[in-house]
Amino acid sequence: MKNLPSLFASAVFTDKLMREKLPKDVYYRLKKTTERGEPLEINVANAVAIAMKDWAVEKGATHFTHWFQPMTGITAEKHDSFISPSGEGEIIMEFSGKALIKGEPDASSFPSGGLRATFEARGYTAWDPTSPAFIKEGVLCIPTAFCSYSGEVLDKKTPLLRSMEAINAQALRIVRLFGKTEVTSVGTTVGPEQEYFLIDKSVYDKRRDLVLCGRTIIGSKSPKGQELEDHYFGAIKPRVHAFMRELDEELWKLGIMAKTEHNEVAPGQHELAPIFTTTNIACDHNQLTMEMMKKIAAKHGMVCLLHEKPFAGVNGSGKHVNWSMSTNTGINLLEPGKSPKDNAQFLLFLAAVIKAVDEHADMLRVSVASAGNDHRLGANEAPPAIVSIFLGNELTGILDAIESGKPYDVEDTGPIKIGVSVLPDLPKDTTDRNRTSPFAFTGNKFEFRMLGSAASIAGPCIVLNTIVADVLSGFADKLEKANDLNAAVTDLVKNTYAQHKRIIFNGNSYSEEWVKEAQKRGLANMRTAAQALPCFKAEKNVALFSRHKVFTKAEVESRCELMLENYIKVLTIEAQTMINMCRREILPAATSYCAQLTKAALDKAALNADLPARYENDLVMKISKLIECLYNGVSQLDTALLHARDFEHAEECARYFSEAVFENMCLVREAADELEMNVAADYWPYPVYSEILFSV
Ligand code: ADP
Ligand code: MG
């Protein structure tokens, strides 16, 4: 490998490159846009476009694209070459400021959730100068936002940027109160840990469900799964190792700080964690990481499954969103720190997160709701669908002491005074960290663990940023009027904790007791996406997002509609695939095996009427019953799908899918899986779990 530092970000038009290649004044004016949000001047854009193009062409690029993140959850691109006629049949390579800052893809084929009906079909993409351009497979990719012509957002990046502005504005007010006048902006940082499966391409191709749905819809448990716990952090197989090395290298070129790669709990399951960065860039990077994982797996004869639950009976895949806030001067606002002044500030930000999560647990649940994730949440491998916070005993103890006005430590002499007492060294709890909590404080950041592996991190980040901004704005309103800041902060932390401590739970979130306890505490337990998604449109949430200019009412409603529609579509495809597999392959296979057994029994009888044929006869009975059962199940599922057309509203329809359709699918699966265990391997049309999970 080339020298790593020089390889790193070699495919990125970095800030350093811009400083080198742009005239000083142009660079300075560009910075005013990226750092202070000032409007971009066209002559600046022109200069940047030329520098960007020259660099890209030098690197072998021939095309450019506005790279954006529509609401499909994946990224979109439309390639244009740099060529431009220069007379006499010759061409020059050209790229203008106008082409850099604005593109006009046809918006009508991207999901808009109803916005399209009311507004023009055309859309436009606008350069996001805060995220650097990069080269991917000979194409200069320019990160952009995607909007409808009338300005309604049609993507995941715009609201994310808006939410970052919201939290910047509110957090700055607080930081200023603590005398940090040198701070000019506060951003959020994110490090998303990405889980995934790798399987061999040959087994994948034979599974219609994997090809069409990304997960197995039938399949009985492998005799060996993850029970020996021999995969987690185990030695990495050579093929996987080669994949990981190439992935790292490609990601490094793109400036993505891929850091940790290891095996996960389930056979065939792995994880990649990058070093954290600004939320907006972390989001772009995670999208690129997922794309690269798929591409590089293919080069190694494998398929990367990003689905939240590709296999029943072994762990699904999640994406842990590690989140914090930090100032442009490099202070992590969730770092407990050592000095009293920082303690007070820390406790205030901590209280803000606690209040935000308690008040808007519904929105956090919405942000991770999807058909795929329904199989994970609450399945004793991932956090439950109940949102709660793990703080650890130390911090909980401190907050309890503040609330009760009693000393924290037995050796302490007086009650805790915020801003005077120094926090004890908090364990960074790497050893005994609580892995069952959906939202865990892990030393200097929160780790939100409910998101599924396939989703963009934009959703939960938008919600986190906005809900914390909302609480901070309330805090700032109070504190800015206070005469005695210290006393006011103490009061605020104390009262906030008293009002919202029901959201804190340090125990085992996977336990049945917690489900009961949470119910007593009045915490919501929305088990399915169909239950959770409609909360998005609740008046409280529309008000929240409008207040911080993250989503308009129309945008909330369209997004909610879109997520519900997506849920319905996914379940429809899965049900149809299931029917298809059963009718075209599983039932015929089981029937011909049955016929074979019947023939064998008859042959025996012909040979000698006294020869027993118990094996054949018993099995014929058993399989015949299962065939009947599967046949009925499939017919019922078919009917259930037909009924689904009767629903006018997505909300009711989604609910119907989560109940009736899903239940039918479970019945079909049960019969199909039982057949799989009884039909001879030669007859079975698909590779089974043991073959798939251990295929690499
Ligand atoms: P784990 O033990 O859960 O694997 P690590 O401590 O290795 O966790 O960190 C997980 C992720 O958290 C990494 O991506 C890391 O970069 C990220 N992280 C660390 N500090 C911060 C922070 N201040 N803000 C956001 N993410 C962070
Ligand atoms: Mg983690």
Side-chain angles (χ1 to χ4, degrees):
M1 191 194 304
K2 264 202 316 191
N3 156 319
L4 182 50
S6 74
L7 179 85
F8 189 78
S10 57
V12 183
F13 195 58
T14 57
D15 188 62
K16 184 163 163 269
L17 273 174
M18 289 204 259
R19 202 169 45 227
E20 272 166 31
K21 297 196 182 284
L22 291 172
K24 251 206 185 85
D25 65 311
V26 171
Y27 175 76
Y28 176 71
R29 272 146 66 205
L30 179 68
K31 282 270 113 178
K32 283 216 277 197
T33 301
T34 55
E35 278 166 13
R36 286 185 242 155
E38 291 183 15
L40 187 73
E41 301 155 52
I42 186 69
N43 52 346
V44 173
N46 277 328
V48 176
I50 292 170
M52 219 184 243
K53 186 246 335 177
D54 287 347
W55 166 79
V57 169
E58 203 177 292
K59 291 248 157 209
T62 50
H63 290 70
F64 71 93
T65 181
H66 277 196
W67 183 78
F68 58 105
Q69 301 172 24
M71 293 187 283
T72 52
I74 51 173
T75 55
E77 41 195 81
K78 173 184 133 220
H79 300 171
D80 277 297
S81 70
F82 288 121
I83 64 167
S84 179
S86 69
E88 316 240 329
E90 309 216 317
I91 56 143
I92 51 164
M93 299 294 254
E94 205 174 66
F95 187 46
S96 68
K98 203 169 138 255
L100 167 66
I101 56 182
K102 192 168 166 187
E104 296 191 13
D106 182 0
S108 62
S109 296
F110 289 103
S112 77
L115 283 178
R116 202 165 60 226
T118 18
F119 304 97
E120 241 194 306
R122 283 203 301 168
Y124 69 91
T125 49
W127 181 35
D128 166 19
T130 62
S131 182
F134 54 91
I135 298 172
K136 185 165 64 78
E137 281 145 16
V139 180
L140 170 67
C141 297
I142 298 148
T144 54
F146 181 43
C147 313
S148 78
Y149 236 79
S150 42
E152 267 73 24
V153 294
L154 296 173
D155 72 345
K156 300 199 176 220
K157 183 186 269 278
T158 317
L160 183 60
L161 291 170
R162 290 176 181 170
S163 74
M164 289 168 72
E165 275 174 33
I167 200 165
N168 174 38
Q170 304 308 330
L172 259 182
R173 290 171 67 193
I174 303 282
V175 173
R176 293 265 161 79
L177 284 170
F178 282 89
K180 297 196 170 64
T181 46
E182 70 287 2
V183 174
T184 53
S185 70
V186 175
T188 52
T189 49
V190 167
E193 297 164 69
Q194 176 77 48
E195 291 181 339
Y196 59 97
F197 278 87
L198 286 177
I199 62 171
D200 193 81
K201 173 95 164 54
S202 65
V203 287
Y204 172 86
D205 286 339
K206 292 189 193 117
R207 296 280 317 207
R208 196 191 302 274
D209 46 3
L210 281 177
V211 173
L212 297 180
C213 312
R215 76 174 180 101
T216 54
I217 287 173
I218 57 140
S220 64
K221 227 174 145 282
S222 164
K224 178 182 191 283
Q226 63 193 42
E227 41 294 275
L228 293 180
E229 297 174 329
D230 52 355
H231 194 255
Y232 191 55
F233 280 31
I236 298 172
K237 290 182 182 153
R239 252 177 109 188
V240 175
H241 183 83
F243 160 86
M244 285 177 172
R245 283 297 80 81
E246 190 173 342
L247 177 64
D248 278 345
E249 213 172 297
E250 288 308 313
L251 294 179
W252 289 335
K253 280 187 208 161
L254 289 166
I256 299 170
M257 284 185 267
K259 173 83 177 160
T260 314
E261 307 229 27
H262 62 80
N263 286 354
E264 261 300 326
V265 175
Q269 193 183 31
H270 312 279
E271 183 188 289
L272 179 145
I275 295 174
F276 70 94
T277 179
T278 313
T279 306
N280 163 36
I281 292 172
C283 182
D284 286 0
H285 282 180
N286 181 250
Q287 293 295 130
L288 279 171
T289 301
M290 291 194 286
E291 186 183 328
M292 285 301 160
M293 281 177 166
K294 292 204 163 266
K295 281 193 180 145
I296 290 162
K299 282 172 76 180
H300 292 255
M302 300 188 285
V303 175
C304 171
L305 303 176
L306 290 171
H307 193 282
E308 289 85 356
K309 189 75 181 176
F311 308 101
V314 295
N315 280 5
S317 303
K319 178 143 43 193
H320 294 173
V321 179
N322 294 275
W323 177 95
S324 190
M325 296 165 271
S326 84
T327 65
N328 63 315
T329 54
I331 303 164
N332 177 355
L333 296 173
L334 289 177
E335 172 63 58
K338 283 202 188 266
S339 78
K341 201 165 72 173
D342 292 331
N343 286 177
Q345 183 186 286
F346 162 73
L347 287 170
L348 193 65
F349 277 104
L350 182 71
V353 176
I354 294 171
K355 180 172 155 83
V357 172
D358 186 34
E359 279 179 349
H360 302 289
D362 58 338
M363 266 322 299
L364 284 170
R365 176 67 186 89
V366 167
S367 78
V368 298
S370 72
N373 220 13
D374 274 6
H375 299 281
R376 245 184 100 241
L377 297 180
N380 281 341
E381 50 162 285
I386 309 162
V387 177
S388 68
I389 300 179
F390 168 84
L391 281 187
N393 295 334
E394 203 88 48
L395 266 187
T396 310
I398 291 166
L399 289 170
D400 279 337
I402 292 170
E403 187 197 4
S404 62
K406 295 208 182 89
Y408 168 62
D409 216 305
V410 263
E411 284 147 39
D412 266 3
T413 43
I416 281 201
K417 268 205 206 121
I418 292 180
V420 173
S421 56
V422 175
L423 286 176
D425 262 349
L426 294 175
K428 290 271 187 277
D429 68 359
T430 38
T431 43
D432 69 332
R433 62 171 52 168
N434 180 324
R435 297 236 164 238
T436 65
S437 175
F439 199 87
F441 184 72
T442 50
N444 59 2
K445 62 184 187 289
F446 276 99
E447 181 169 344
F448 184 40
R449 304 188 177 122
M450 289 172 88
L451 189 64
S453 49
S456 157
I457 62 166
C461 291
I462 292 168
V463 171
L464 269 172
N465 291 349
T466 311
I467 64 180
V468 175
D470 194 57
V471 173
L472 290 176
S473 122
F475 279 11
D477 288 346
K478 280 210 180 87
L479 296 178
E480 279 163 358
K481 285 190 217 114
N483 296 324
D484 179 348
L485 183 68
N486 250 332
V489 169
T490 308
D491 256 11
L492 201 50
V493 170
K494 186 172 164 175
N495 295 337
T496 306
Y497 179 66
Q499 277 164 25
H500 298 285
K501 66 178 176 186
R502 65 166 188 168
I503 197 78
I504 293 162
F505 178 62
N506 293 329
N508 177 7
S509 302
Y510 292 1
S511 67
E512 241 345 276
E513 293 84 73
W514 170 232
V515 175
K516 288 187 204 124
E517 165 71 15
Q519 195 177 10
K520 267 196 229 142
R521 294 191 192 182
L523 302 178
N525 183 5
M526 294 183 272
R527 300 201 63 120
T528 67
Q531 265 174 297
L533 287 172
C535 300
F536 196 176
K537 313 186 274 205
E539 221 170 283
K540 147 190 141 337
N541 293 329
V542 172
L544 166 79
F545 290 114
S546 317
R547 197 154 57 232
H548 297 282
K549 301 192 168 51
V550 174
F551 290 127
T552 62
K553 186 164 192 278
E555 286 167 353
V556 166
E557 283 168 355
S558 69
R559 244 153 239 261
C560 182
E561 192 71 9
L562 203 100
M563 289 164 93
L564 285 164
E565 276 171 14
N566 180 270
Y567 179 81
I568 295 167
K569 283 180 195 162
V570 169
L571 274 142
T572 305
I573 294 169
E574 289 187 349
Q576 280 169 352
T577 306
M578 188 173 233
I579 294 172
N580 206 283
M581 287 168 75
C582 290
R583 287 198 175 141
R584 300 193 54 223
E585 282 144 345
I586 296 176
L587 285 168
T591 310
S592 43
Y593 182 53
C594 230
Q596 167 73 26
L597 284 170
T598 311
K599 188 174 171 296
L602 287 175
D603 286 353
K604 267 190 188 172
L607 210 60
N608 179 343
D610 293 334
L611 265 184
R614 263 199 39 223
Y615 164 65
E616 295 85 345
N617 288 327
D618 285 359
L619 207 51
V620 166
M621 279 308 286
K622 188 170 187 185
I623 293 178
S624 300
K625 278 185 194 153
L626 285 170
I627 289 178
E628 277 310 291
C629 185
L630 182 61
Y631 174 70
N632 286 335
V634 170
S635 310
Q636 276 165 22
L637 180 58
D638 210 1
T639 315
L641 272 185
L642 278 177
H643 278 313
R645 296 188 191 158
D646 301 340
F647 292 94
E648 208 181 307
H649 297 291
E651 194 173 325
E652 288 158 21
C653 188
R655 185 70 79 125
Y656 172 77
F657 266 92
S658 75
E659 290 161 8
V661 176
F662 187 73
E663 211 165 281
N664 266 305
M665 287 179 71
C666 291
L667 292 175
V668 169
R669 177 167 192 155
E670 219 173 287
D673 290 359
E674 191 65 27
L675 271 175
E676 184 193 293
M677 287 190 283
N678 286 283
V679 170
D682 281 355
Y683 282 76
W684 197 251
Y686 309 113
V688 295
Y689 271 21
S690 59
E691 292 161 318
I692 308 172
L693 286 168
F694 299 92
S695 62
V696 171

